[in-house]
Amino acid sequence: ARTSNGLVGVTSTITVTVQNGTGCSGKVFVETLPLTQIDMQGSARLAVMVAGTLTGIDISNYDFFFVIQTSSPIIGGPSAGAVMTIATIAALEGWQLDNRTMITGMIDPDGSIGPVGGIPEKIEAAYSVGATRFLFPKGQGVMYKTVTETKNIGGIIQIVQKRVPINISEYAMNNFGIEAVEVADINEALLYFTGHTFETQVSNETITTSNYTTSMEPLALHLINDANNSYATAKSLFENTKSDIPNSFPFYYRNQINDMLDNAQTSLEKARDSYEKKLFYSSTSSAFQSLINSRFVQYASNYFNTDDRGNYLDNLFNTVESFVSNQSEKAKDATIRGMTSLQCVGAAQKRAFDAEDYLKNAQQDYQKRDYLNALYKLAFAFERSKSVGWWLNMSSTFEDLGQVNNSVLDDVAHRYLDLAIQANTYSSIILQEMGESSSLLSGVGDLIDDAGNEIEEYPASSLFASLEALAKANLALELVDGAKQDKLDKTRESAATAISESRSLGIEPILAVSYFEFAQTLENGSTTDAIVYYRYAQMIAGALHFMVSPPVQKQSRFEGIPPINPPQHNSFVASLPFDLKWVYAAATLLVVMLIVGAAVIAREKRFKKEFPPEMWMPRSMEEYYRKH
């Protein structure tokens, strides 16, 4: 808690009740004494989601009640997220929690424990209630404290402030006799609280199978040839018309068009290089960008070379609009039969909507007389519409296993849209609370709007828009401390495992494999972008898995709670004769038991007096179930 004297550690009692039965549907209720900030409610929802993911339990069959009591006047901050998740898992599994262990840490959507502030103050608070072990986020083992020193130099008072490093583990042991342990994720923290851990699956399967390669290779080669021909046409046209293109202040149009021609060539070379490395989706992506740039150069060269530019633009708009409309109708009317066509139709519809958006933006630029930008967006809309056909044709190259029920698709699309909305809201609130921001959230709102607009008529397209929004919203929070190598490795492995699990059910996750492959090519350029595409691949494979097979409860392994590492022996005790050491130890143990016993009894009495059992499930919740 923040006071007028600075940060002060405060302990809270969190009671989690899980109810299963008629009327339960994954609802999360939070009741606090005293008030709570909105991020506490978001932490509770995220705790439930992470608990469901880690245990494999379908949380939609349960309702969750969080009752939080603390001496702080207002409960806030995300640092209770980790303990709420642990308590939720323990409630679902029926495990006992070690009441000598305490934890602070934000919960990330992938189960990682994120950074928090005020760790030294929280250790002191943990000591005040008898904790012997304190868990805190990995990477925060050293913190800095500002120390003020006053020096008298020749009668002149000099005040100097400097930052002094504090080793958290040493600080906790030396000052309070508490073992402070860094933990990376919830699974690791569970071991210290319950003695249980969940098996982490590792995929050794090849991601790009021969079936995938056989389907993607011809498309990649076709697009390279198409891009090569388009570039040659654009280059010839530009060379023949560049003298007609203005290139003086303030309109250096010729230079801009020439730059786009160079970009087309660069993208074409990348497409060829990826093809040689058998990264076929990455090759198609680079070829697609080359096609856009070459088409723009052709449009721009023709525009400046014609006598009636207004008429040229009108005809071009009509041509592109007709093509976009025709391709959009094909995508919207496409039939979804199985899991393969679901992915291909969803991808085709998403690209059709992209093309329509670019066409609208081109019309707006035209109204503003920004003709060069209008021409680029027309080129993008045309090439994006061409890609609709690629995806619709691709479904025929894979076996379309797993019948897709419309009601199931509709339910899953709504479920992931709700998750995306919650994730976007939660990440925005927590980042604001932390004084941070993330560029990953910038386009999430538009994706959610698109998903909401499309969900009734085009649930496949809506589903993939929601999955992309969910991936980015979650990562906005997870990457607040930077895109590090361990996060990249973990995200890559999670995506590979999700793809492997989908294949075990007879599903070929084409889209997931495509984005996984694309992420591989981004690792040396942008770690953040690579993580985004790995997570998107994981989300897609997971959604397909969910549609075919409901969640299955995962098996845990009991190892026992690790013993607390004892502090160094007191020199006085070490100097005693062997026989007297036993007497000293017995006497000390008796005193400790009396003190701890008295403290526990007093705390239990006080807790039951201030927080009787009838408060553990809020009265409003009892009334809710009586009415429902």
Side-chain angles (χ1 to χ4, degrees):
R2 189 175 297 277
T3 69
S4 58
N5 296 321
L7 289 174
V8 176
V10 176
T11 59
S12 301
T13 301
I14 300 177
T15 303
V16 181
T17 303
V18 176
Q19 183 157 328
N20 183 17
T22 304
C24 294
S25 59
K27 296 181 289 294
V28 178
F29 302 97
V30 179
E31 179 133 329
T32 61
L33 186 69
L35 302 176
T36 180
Q37 293 178 356
I38 192 170
D39 57 2
M40 181 67 76
Q41 300 174 38
S43 293
R45 290 185 177 276
L46 186 56
V48 169
M49 186 192 78
V50 173
T53 301
L54 189 58
T55 62
I57 295 174
D58 187 355
I59 58 175
S60 65
N61 295 325
Y62 298 82
D63 283 346
F64 301 84
F65 306 89
F66 293 81
V67 181
I68 304 158
Q69 187 188 42
T70 184
S71 58
S72 175
I74 297 180
I75 307 169
S79 57
V83 73
M84 295 171 86
T85 307
I86 290 167
T88 303
I89 293 172
L92 286 168
E93 296 283 357
W95 294 339
Q96 293 293 319
L97 293 173
D98 178 22
N99 60 10
R100 300 168 301 169
T101 299
M102 298 189 75
I103 186 173
T104 186
M106 183 173 71
I107 181 63
D108 286 339
D110 69 341
S112 300
I113 296 175
V116 293
I119 292 177
E121 292 79 11
K122 292 171 183 176
I123 290 174
E124 185 175 354
Y127 169 75
S128 70
V129 294
T132 55
R133 177 180 278 145
F134 186 85
L135 309 181
F136 63 97
K138 186 176 181 179
Q140 291 193 282
V142 176
M143 302 196 75
Y144 290 86
K145 182 178 181 180
T146 301
V147 177
T148 302
E149 293 182 353
T150 303
K151 298 180 180 180
N152 189 329
I153 304 175
I156 299 175
I157 304 299
Q158 185 180 32
I159 299 175
V160 179
Q161 286 188 330
K162 61 180 181 180
R163 299 185 73 207
V164 178
I166 299 175
N167 182 294
I168 294 299
S169 295
E170 292 178 1
Y171 171 83
M173 182 59 71
N174 294 338
N175 290 277
F176 306 105
I178 291 178
E179 181 189 26
V181 182
E182 293 184 65
V183 287
D185 54 41
I186 289 297
N187 202 27
E188 189 177 345
L190 274 174
L191 179 65
Y192 290 99
F193 270 97
T194 68
H196 292 267
T197 59
F198 289 93
E199 297 284 351
T200 54
Q201 295 182 331
V202 178
S203 173
N204 296 317
E205 182 179 310
T206 302
I207 300 301
T208 51
T209 61
S210 58
N211 190 21
Y212 172 83
T213 299
T214 301
S215 300
M216 292 297 294
E217 184 175 6
L219 174 61
L221 183 59
H222 169 75
L223 290 182
I224 287 175
N225 292 333
D226 195 7
N228 187 65
N229 293 334
S230 184
Y231 171 74
T233 301
K235 183 178 181 180
S236 175
L237 191 57
F238 176 71
E239 290 296 330
N240 292 331
T241 61
K242 64 182 180 181
S243 60
D244 298 323
I245 302 174
N247 201 46
S248 59
F249 180 82
F251 305 114
Y252 293 96
Y253 293 138
R254 188 193 308 161
N255 288 348
Q256 294 179 44
I257 297 169
N258 189 57
D259 288 344
M260 295 298 281
L261 185 63
D262 290 342
N263 291 340
Q265 183 180 23
T266 300
S267 295
L268 179 56
E269 290 170 355
K270 286 182 179 179
R272 290 169 177 157
D273 182 60
S274 294
Y275 182 85
E276 292 299 322
K277 295 177 180 177
K278 298 188 181 301
L279 299 171
F280 298 122
Y281 180 79
S282 302
S283 177
T284 62
S285 179
S286 295
F288 170 68
Q289 189 59 55
S290 179
L291 284 164
I292 294 171
N293 291 337
S294 292
R295 183 169 292 277
F296 164 75
V297 172
Q298 294 173 42
Y299 285 171
S301 297
N302 286 327
Y303 170 77
F304 284 110
N305 190 44
T306 187
D307 293 330
D308 191 346
R309 293 174 181 174
N311 185 57
Y312 172 79
L313 285 175
D314 289 340
N315 290 334
L316 183 59
F317 265 99
N318 290 334
T319 300
V320 174
E321 187 173 359
S322 176
F323 183 72
V324 168
S325 177
N326 183 51
Q327 293 296 98
S328 292
E329 288 303 314
K330 290 181 181 179
K332 294 171 183 177
D333 293 340
T335 302
I336 297 173
R337 295 185 177 85
M339 302 305 292
T340 299
S341 57
L342 167 65
Q343 298 172 75
C344 293
V345 170
Q349 289 178 349
K350 190 173 186 303
R351 283 152 179 77
F353 289 126
D354 285 346
E356 290 177 355
D357 288 340
Y358 268 87
L359 180 58
K360 290 176 184 176
N361 291 334
Q363 291 166 341
Q364 292 172 2
D365 287 337
Y366 175 77
Q367 296 297 327
K368 298 174 185 176
R369 298 187 178 183
D370 187 356
Y371 300 131
L372 217 58
N373 270 328
L375 290 171
Y376 178 82
K377 289 170 183 175
L378 284 173
F380 192 106
F382 192 91
E383 293 297 338
R384 198 61 163 168
S385 288
K386 282 173 61 179
S387 70
V388 168
W390 311 341
W391 283 101
L392 292 179
N393 293 332
M394 192 180 298
S395 63
S396 62
T397 63
F398 290 90
E399 191 173 359
D400 204 7
L401 298 174
Q403 186 175 2
V404 176
N405 182 289
N406 288 335
S407 62
V408 172
L409 174 58
D410 184 69
D411 177 68
V412 171
H414 278 88
R415 179 187 291 248
Y416 278 102
L417 176 57
D418 290 342
L419 286 174
I421 293 171
Q422 291 175 18
N424 186 39
T425 302
Y426 177 73
S427 293
S428 299
I429 291 170
I430 295 300
L431 288 173
Q432 184 177 11
E433 180 78 13
M434 297 172 67
E436 300 284 351
S437 62
S438 173
S439 60
L440 289 174
L441 286 180
S442 59
V444 170
D446 290 337
L447 286 168
I448 290 173
D449 288 342
D450 290 342
N453 293 333
E454 299 160 10
I455 197 164
E456 299 303 329
E457 292 188 73
Y458 311 107
S461 176
S462 173
L463 172 61
F464 294 114
S466 293
L467 291 172
E468 184 179 353
L470 180 58
K472 290 182 176 179
N474 284 343
L475 287 171
L477 195 57
E478 293 176 33
L479 300 182
V480 68
D481 204 30
K484 299 178 181 178
Q485 185 63 41
D486 58 343
K487 175 67 75 172
L488 175 64
D489 295 339
K490 182 177 181 179
T491 312
R492 185 197 310 111
E493 183 56 43
S494 296
T497 300
I499 289 171
S500 178
E501 289 176 348
S502 290
R503 282 178 172 155
S504 69
L505 297 174
I507 305 168
E508 179 54 42
I510 309 166
L511 273 180
V513 175
S514 297
Y515 289 126
F516 185 98
E517 179 210 297
F518 188 57
Q520 288 178 302
T521 66
L522 296 173
E523 286 197 21
N524 294 329
S526 171
T527 302
T528 297
D529 289 343
I531 290 174
V532 168
Y533 279 99
Y534 279 133
R535 177 59 59 82
Y536 190 25
Q538 178 190 349
M539 298 295 300
I540 292 171
L544 298 175
H545 186 169
F546 179 78
M547 291 184 68
V548 172
S549 175
V552 177
Q553 187 167 353
K554 298 177 183 177
Q555 295 297 315
S556 63
R557 182 178 68 251
F558 182 74
E559 299 179 7
I561 297 175
I564 293 176
N565 293 326
Q568 293 183 349
H569 294 296
N570 186 288
S571 58
F572 166 72
V573 178
S575 65
L576 289 174
F578 180 78
D579 292 341
L580 291 180
K581 286 181 182 178
W582 283 101
V583 175
Y584 181 89
T588 302
L589 179 61
L590 179 61
V591 171
V592 170
M593 289 177 64
L594 288 172
I595 293 174
V596 172
V600 169
I601 292 170
R603 192 165 71 246
E604 288 291 325
K605 287 182 177 179
R606 180 184 173 192
F607 177 75
K608 289 181 178 179
K609 180 180 178 181
E610 297 180 358
F611 198 42
E614 57 267 23
M615 290 180 63
W616 296 356
M617 178 176 289
R619 185 176 303 165
S620 57
M621 297 304 102
E622 294 177 351
E623 292 174 355
Y624 175 89
Y625 278 101
R626 280 200 294 269
K627 293 177 181 178
H628 293 78

